[in-house]
Amino acid sequence: MTVIDISASVMQFLLAFVVVAPLLGAVAALLPAPPGLKGKNPDQAVLRHGVTVTGAVLIATIVLAAGFDHDHPATMQATTDISWIPALDVRIHLGIDGISLPLLLLTALLTFLCALYSYFKLPAGPSPKAFVALVLVLESGTLATFAVLDLLLFFLAFEMVLIPMYFLIARWGGGQRQTAAWKFILYTLLGSVVMLLGILLIGLKSGTFDMVALATDNGRGLTTSVQVIAVLAIGLGLAVKTPMWPLHSWLPDAHTAAPTVGSVLLAGVLLKMGTYGFVRILLPVAPDGMRTFAPYLAAFAVVGIVYGSLACLALARTGAKGDLKRLIAYSSVGHMGFVLLGIATMTPTGVNGALFANIAHGLITGLLFFLVGAIKDRYGTADLDTLAGATGAALYGRAPRLGALLAFAAIASLGLPGLAGFWGEMLTLFGAYSPAEGLSRPAFRTFMAIGAFGTLLTAAYMLIVVRRVCMGEHTPHSRLSPDDRAPQAADGPQPSGATGARPATTPQLADIQTYEAATWTPLAALTVLAGLWPAVLLGLTDPAVQKLLAGGKS
């Protein structure tokens, strides 16, 4: 069943367009604008160019999804297979199935929303031309990662995103941006070197780099020792990008320093490249190697869940001077731990839960970083103690719609039933209860219990954040009349015109602006839709996962 009937050749063109158009748009952004398109403000003209290109890519991706045969999501569709480097048997092989299509849509949507947001709120930094070009190169590399079906092309696309993200952090970021950018690039490059060795090992031992052929072979052409080495090498590179504890330490620094759109893209799409690699490459190509490492992967995953949550609780406590962006970055370590746990179960239930949690995390955490960026713009800080201090900073009173949306995103992140965050975590825990044959049930049920405890910790720190930021801090002066209250704390922001005593009326902040509503509404709506109608996503992923785990057999 397809929503609209599109010929195979048009589907091929659409997928190629989705991958290549952002790259061409990046080149065009750096060229001098034609006289008729410069307008009165060349900077705004290039930002409009970014919105136009990302919008065209999003429309093409939606049309591609509409033409996708939803009755056969396990079949590779819109495929292109052209010889590129015959000596190495490297091919330009593109295609999508039920696993990659949702990630393409998520990437195209988030990049368009970031371009739209930047048109109205460009981060401080160098030339807007360079900013737009870097975002488009980033989009092209990410889309290519989810669309290519050749191992070497996958590696090239995987690496393509590193340089633009490095410059987005280093040139448009906030404090400590150079250190954070270097940490990001060094961690990911070192992981990628090891991953390349694993990819070459698989290609040379099996005689092909074609991911479809390798998945169909299901590891039968590789000895167990080769599979174990390949999983260790490729898995390390993917684990750094995911990021898996204890290889996560670059992430909080990168998120804290990155501009708002950089954080959204980093959390929303770049982290998904690592988990996608586990599902697309390691599970079908080296199943024996994955079975060897699955208990260790699950152990690291649940440690990451608990560690990320405890770090968030430490940042959220009063007096910790915790940064709200840093807190959400640590929450990503915990959420991606659930994704890795689901993959480690090697069951359809667990892997489907991991893929669902991937999409849910992209929607919810992308929205959270947008909201925190807006709060930081309004207050000039993301410090939790300042935001929650006795200064009239409670969002419910000063910007009620912004406060309500932050509370919504927080409860979605903690996995409230009926919202997107619930299904992925629940399915991964179900998968851990009954892991694949050959895996220790007692061990995985222990991991399930630890993961379930992590959901309680997640609820704890998210509710603390909502209470402190949206409701304000409870203080001894809270029962006094506004005119009688003591002067503000020294570390709190002084309302304009303040002379020490708190004014009788709390100054209002700008609530959600029109462009912010346009940017954030799709993410909130999709969070509700995925929570109430999970079959839309699971109907795509489940047949493809079943085929992948069965060695290419439907």
Side-chain angles (χ1 to χ4, degrees), residues 409-420:
I411 62 172
S413 182
L414 63 82
L416 185 75
L419 298 176

Side-chain angles (χ1 to χ4, degrees), residues 75-99:
T75 303
M76 283 295 172
Q77 302 178 35
T79 53
T80 300
D81 193 1
I82 304 169
S83 179
W84 184 33
I85 307 175
L88 297 176
D89 192 29
V90 179
R91 310 182 68 82
I92 298 177
H93 192 183
L94 305 176
I96 54 170
D97 64 357
I99 294 171

Side-chain angles (χ1 to χ4, degrees), residues 463-499:
L463 292 176
I464 289 172
V465 168
V466 170
R467 177 181 63 78
R468 297 191 68 203
V469 177
C470 295
M471 301 178 184
E473 200 77 276
H474 176 76
T475 70
H477 306 290
S478 58
R479 295 185 180 181
L480 299 177
S481 67
D483 292 329
D484 295 332
R485 287 177 185 166
Q488 298 175 9
D491 60 346
Q494 297 280 343
S496 57
T499 57

Side-chain angles (χ1 to χ4, degrees), residues 3-196:
V3 178
I4 55 176
D5 190 21
I6 302 177
S7 67
S9 58
V10 175
M11 290 285 284
Q12 289 176 337
F13 170 77
L14 285 171
L15 184 56
F17 174 83
V18 162
V19 172
V20 175
L23 204 55
L24 298 177
V27 174
L30 295 175
L31 297 175
L37 297 179
K38 282 185 177 179
K40 295 181 179 179
N41 189 337
D43 290 349
Q44 289 299 103
V46 76
L47 292 172
R48 278 196 300 272
H49 170 78
V51 174
T52 303
V53 173
T54 56
V57 171
L58 176 60
I59 292 170
T61 310
I62 293 172
V63 175
L64 189 68
F68 186 83
D69 185 357
H70 293 259
D71 287 335
H72 301 91
T75 303
M76 283 295 172
Q77 302 178 35
T79 53
T80 300
D81 193 1
I82 304 169
S83 179
W84 184 33
I85 307 175
L88 297 176
D89 192 29
V90 179
R91 310 182 68 82
I92 298 177
H93 192 183
L94 305 176
I96 54 170
D97 64 357
I99 294 171
S100 51
L101 180 61
L103 290 166
L104 280 180
L105 287 165
L106 177 67
T107 301
L109 174 65
L110 282 178
T111 313
F112 169 71
L113 295 179
C114 285
L116 181 64
Y117 187 84
S118 299
Y119 179 78
F120 295 96
K121 192 73 178 178
L122 181 69
S127 161
K129 279 190 171 187
F131 177 83
V132 170
L134 290 169
V135 169
L136 291 174
V137 171
L138 187 68
E139 179 181 33
S140 180
T142 310
L143 291 169
T145 301
F146 300 136
V148 298
L149 298 173
D150 182 278
L151 279 178
L152 287 180
L153 275 186
F154 174 87
F155 177 78
L156 292 176
F158 196 85
E159 294 303 287
M160 183 177 167
V161 304
L162 300 185
I163 300 304
M165 182 52 72
Y166 166 80
F167 281 110
L168 284 174
I169 297 171
R171 303 303 299 276
W172 283 269
Q176 302 296 316
R177 59 180 182 264
Q178 293 292 343
T179 302
W182 273 111
K183 202 170 183 179
F184 163 76
I185 201 76
L186 288 176
Y187 264 78
T188 49
L189 279 179
L190 288 173
S192 298
V193 170
V194 181
M195 185 172 77
L196 178 60

